[in-house]
Amino acid sequence: MAVTSIIKGTGSYLPEKVLTNADLEKMVDTTDEWIVQRSGIKERCIAAENETTGMMAIEAAKSAMDAAGFSASDIDGVIVATTTPDRTFPSVAAKVQGELNIPHGLAFDIQAVCTGFVYALATADNFIKMGQAKRILVIGAEKMSSIVDWKDRTTCVLFADGAGAVILEAAENDKGLEGQGIHSTHLYANGSRRELLQTSGGASTTGDAGVIEMQGRDVFKYAVTYMADVVEETLKHNNISSDAIDWLVPHQANIRIIESTAKKLDMPMDKVVVTVDRHGNTSAASIPLALDEAVRDGRIKRGEMLLIEAMGGGLTWGAALVRF
Ligand code: UT7
């Protein structure tokens, strides 16, 4: 019987403060119309000073643990996908483990920018399938507002803050694709295009975290192509058509990229979880935030098939096929 990783619970945390497009009109030379037409974003949450990536990760983790009915002693691993850690080191994962009194299993961060959650999910799934962990807390948490240049209208209208979490548990599956669990993960990077989306600095160069610099139009073209490629590969690998997918849970960067992937899959938009209008682009947090919203409002039900996909800086991209 094959070992698989089941999503036992989901959780999330959003900062209280909402920044609308009207607020941004007062800060940079932009309009609500431009932002909505080009990205689909209407508002986003921006963290206060005390709402650090670690704090938001901890809150998301607590709500996932409540949903799964697990206490800290049940968990033996913590993986946090983030680009905006509280400190260069130790990891946000170590902070989550320490603050929640989770036992001394593995704890580390993964940095794959907007694809971070898919990378973290795949990594946790592999640890579980190798028998090296039984229950892993997988978190995507970001305070993107801390690395945004608030004078750059091409990026400051897009990025935002938040955290989402899932708990994976090892289980046996003898039903193939009909069984619950992570059926496949697909990860990629094209480092030769890393300059299209980067920060202006870092610890070993400028000595600070830097701010986001993005060639939006070029990233957009790569996103559309890579998303189409990776979802097609995921279906082919599992020998299914898009009819088998109940929900597309995409990274929330731009509604036009999401619509293009849905069209490629021939999926109606009512089978796509969309939060970009209210959350903006929360990088590694966007997928677990979207997943948790759709689980809690009853759209995503147990036993349904999810296709998860993301693309971001690196360039990185990836997908996962999961029966919830
Ligand atoms: O999550 C990680 C991956 N990231 C992404 O997937 C983001 C991918 N890129 C995008 O989503 C889109 O490229 C953007 C939303 C960033 C931009 O949309 P676009 O349709 O590609 O616009 P553009 O960059 O081609 O800019 C069009 C015009 C430019 O003016 P000119 O050169 O045509 O005169 C920009 O200067 O819009 C101007 N512009 C703005 N105008 C008003 C750029 N930002 C703004 C703004 N408000 N905030």
Side-chain angles (χ1 to χ4, degrees):
M1 217 180 307
V3 176
T4 190
S5 318
I6 290 179
I7 298 180
K8 293 298 282 186
T10 65
S12 61
Y13 178 86
L14 281 167
E16 251 174 57
K17 186 184 169 192
V18 174
L19 189 72
T20 64
N21 291 351
D23 296 329
L24 282 159
E25 283 178 352
K26 294 182 202 124
M27 295 161 64
V28 286
D29 180 15
T30 192
T31 60
D32 171 56
E33 194 190 3
W34 190 95
I35 303 171
V36 172
Q37 269 181 12
R38 304 287 175 134
S39 71
I41 302 169
K42 293 179 184 148
E43 58 183 40
R44 71 287 286 142
C45 299
I46 299 294
E49 209 174 320
N50 68 320
E51 291 174 311
T52 64
T53 296
M55 177 272 193
M56 295 189 283
I58 288 165
E59 292 306 314
K62 283 191 209 160
S63 85
M65 283 160 64
D66 281 350
F70 289 160
S71 63
S73 59
D74 297 320
I75 312 285
D76 59 2
V78 184
I79 303 179
V80 177
T82 189
T83 305
T84 49
D86 294 12
R87 295 171 187 265
T88 301
F89 77 85
S91 65
V92 175
K95 183 171 189 171
V96 173
Q97 191 211 47
E99 292 292 322
L100 294 180
N101 295 314
I102 292 170
H104 300 170
L106 62 89
F108 60 91
D109 288 358
I110 279 188
Q111 212 284 72
V113 207
C114 298
T115 319
F117 183 76
V118 184
Y119 267 70
L121 197 72
T123 305
D125 179 43
N126 284 327
F127 271 106
I128 286 174
K129 285 180 176 153
M130 288 299 290
Q132 294 177 343
K134 285 213 155 24
R135 288 187 187 130
I136 305 184
L137 191 48
V138 184
I139 304 170
E142 299 279 20
K143 187 166 178 170
M144 296 305 277
S145 63
S146 66
I147 54 164
V148 158
D149 174 356
W150 287 100
K151 293 190 188 73
D152 178 4
R153 68 172 183 173
T154 68
T155 52
C156 76
V157 302
L158 304 173
F159 292 96
D161 306 331
V166 302
I167 298 180
L168 295 184
E169 183 179 49
E172 306 235 304
N173 177 30
D174 60 358
K175 297 189 199 145
L177 283 180
E178 291 309 309
Q180 268 182 302
I182 298 181
H183 292 295
S184 71
T185 55
H186 309 262
L187 302 180
Y188 290 98
N190 175 2
S192 71
R193 290 289 172 270
R194 64 192 183 279
E195 81 290 349
L196 295 179
L197 179 48
Q198 61 182 11
T199 56
S200 58
S204 75
T205 51
T206 56
D208 59 43
V211 290
I212 299 171
E213 301 172 335
M214 179 168 75
Q215 308 295 320
R217 214 173 305 183
D218 292 325
V219 175
F220 187 95
K221 285 184 203 148
Y222 277 105
V224 167
T225 309
Y226 288 155
M227 293 295 68
D229 288 353
V230 80
V231 295
E232 205 171 335
E233 178 193 322
T234 307
L235 296 182
K236 208 168 161 192
H237 176 89
N238 290 287
N239 203 17
I240 54 173
S241 72
S242 61
D243 299 348
I245 309 297
D246 295 301
W247 294 99
L248 179 65
V249 189
H251 168 50
Q252 312 280 325
N254 187 317
I255 191 65
R256 292 184 289 141
I257 299 171
I258 296 172
E259 284 169 352
S260 149
T261 311
K263 194 167 171 210
K264 178 85 194 170
L265 285 166
D266 212 10
M267 283 178 78
M269 285 304 287
D270 61 6
K271 290 175 87 178
V272 182
V273 182
V274 176
T275 55
V276 69
D277 53 332
R278 291 158 291 118
H279 296 178
N281 183 345
T282 58
S283 184
S286 90
I287 290 174
L289 273 165
L291 181 62
D292 187 49
E293 178 175 291
V295 167
R296 281 175 197 266
D297 70 21
R299 272 178 291 168
I300 294 179
K301 295 180 186 65
R302 282 287 165 199
E304 289 188 324
M305 191 70 106
L306 316 180
L307 179 55
I308 289 170
E309 44 91 347
M311 184 270 182
L315 299 173
T316 52
W317 65 104
L321 185 76
V322 184
R323 192 172 289 283
F324 184 67

